Amino acid sequence: AQSVAQPEDQVNVAEGNPLTVKCTYSVSGNPYLFWYVQYPNRGLQFLLKYITGDNLVKGSYGFEAEFNKSQTSFHLKKPSALVSDSALYFCAVSANTGTASKLTFGTGTRLQVTL
Amino acid sequence: NAGVTQTPKFQVLKTGQSMTLQCAQDMNHEYMSWYRQDPGMGLRLIHYSVGAGITDQGEVPNGYNVSRSTTEDFPLRLLSAAPSQTSVYFCASSGRKSNTGELFFGEGSRLTVL
C-alpha cells in the first residue's frame, strides 16, 4: 500500500526566511508526487508535481520541491517566505501505474509565516 | 469560469437521515472523485469515476453511494447518516484518466451528523 508522511504538524518561519515543508513517501514502483495548498475554508489548490525528469520541480507562487529517490522524499521549499504563504500544505503520492488515480494524501502541515 | 461546484456548503443531518451532496464540473473532465477531510487524517478517497457510467471504490467507501450518468455530475449519496460521517467533503476532477494530472477541487461541503 502506498503512504505519505508529513512529520511536522506545523512549521513556523519568519517572513523573508527560507522555508521547508517535509514529505516522505512509500509506493511500489516509480512515484508520481504532488503538493497542494489549502487556504482557510477553501478547497485544495495544485502547487506542483513530479512525474519524471529533473529532480527539482518548480511550481506556483515561487515554490519548488526536490525529488530524492534514495531518501524517498519530496520536500517543499521556498527561498523567501511571505505572510500570505500561511496555509495548510498537503503532499500526495500515486503509483506509476498509468491508470486512474488513487492519490494518497499526507495528513498536512500547517505553515505559519510571521512578520 | 466555475470549475468544480459543490452544493450544499453546509448541512446538518440527524442520524439515519439520507442526503445527496452534489458536484458538477464544467471543464469536460473525465476523472471525478470524492474525498473526506478529517482532522489529523488528511484527505481520504471515498469513490471515484473515470467517465460516465464508470465508478469505483476508494479507501473509505462504506456508507456512501455514487453514480455518474453524465460527464459533468458526480453526486455522493449518504444512505443512512451516522455521526462518524461528520466531515468536510471535497469533490475533485482531473482532465486525465491517468494519475499524472493535477486535481481541481471544489470549495467543500461541511456535513454534521447529530
Side-chain angles (χ1 to χ4, degrees):
Chain A
Q2 58 196 39
S3 64
V4 173
Q6 294 182 243
E8 302 154 317
D9 289 336
Q10 181 157 327
V11 170
N12 299 305
V13 64
E15 187 174 56
N17 285 357
L19 70 88
T20 299
V21 182
K22 296 180 180 177
C23 170
T24 59
Y25 67 90
S26 174
V27 68
S28 297
N30 292 321
Y32 292 157
L33 294 156
F34 300 79
W35 276 101
Y36 287 83
V37 60
Q38 184 180 31
Y39 297 100
N41 300 314
R42 302 295 297 275
L44 279 70
Q45 298 176 27
F46 169 78
L47 272 182
L48 52 80
K49 66 181 177 183
Y50 171 82
I51 303 300
T52 187
D54 194 347
N55 289 343
L56 184 63
V57 178
K58 294 187 183 297
S60 306
Y61 312 121
F63 284 94
E64 59 188 28
E66 185 165 12
F67 170 61
N68 187 317
K69 188 172 184 177
S70 63
Q71 297 186 3
T72 62
S73 66
F74 190 56
H75 301 331
L76 181 70
K77 300 181 180 184
K78 187 175 182 181
S80 179
L82 298 172
V83 172
S84 57
D85 293 330
S86 299
L88 189 57
Y89 290 81
F90 289 95
C91 181
V93 67
S94 67
N96 180 6
T97 63
T99 57
S101 174
K102 287 190 179 183
L103 201 59
T104 298
F105 285 83
T107 54
T109 298
R110 187 165 302 280
L111 174 65
Q112 186 69 45
V113 182
T114 54
L115 291 170
Chain B
N1 194 5
V4 178
T5 303
Q6 291 182 233
T7 56
K9 293 191 185 306
F10 301 93
Q11 183 71 49
V12 179
L13 290 178
K14 294 181 180 179
T15 297
Q17 288 184 315
S18 63
M19 77 157 299
T20 299
L21 299 177
Q22 301 291 345
C23 176
Q25 52 90 10
D26 62 359
M27 297 172 284
N28 201 32
H29 283 174
E30 294 182 38
Y31 179 86
M32 296 186 74
S33 55
W34 277 101
Y35 287 86
R36 58 178 289 174
Q37 183 179 23
D38 301 292
M41 302 193 73
L43 278 80
R44 293 180 292 169
L45 180 65
I46 304 171
H47 286 286
Y48 67 97
S49 168
V50 298
I54 305 170
T55 63
D56 204 349
Q57 296 181 352
E59 182 184 355
V60 288
N62 292 340
Y64 307 95
N65 274 358
V66 292
S67 60
R68 185 92 180 273
S69 56
T70 67
T71 300
E72 294 78 20
D73 300 301
F74 191 46
L76 178 72
R77 297 181 185 86
L78 281 71
L79 307 174
S80 179
S84 61
Q85 294 178 302
T86 293
S87 186
V88 181
Y89 292 85
F90 288 99
C91 179
S93 70
S94 175
R96 300 184 185 181
K97 286 183 181 180
S98 73
N99 49 8
T100 61
E102 57 265 34
L103 292 171
F104 292 80
F105 283 83
E107 302 256 312
S109 297
R110 185 175 295 273
L111 174 66
T112 301
V113 183
L114 302 175

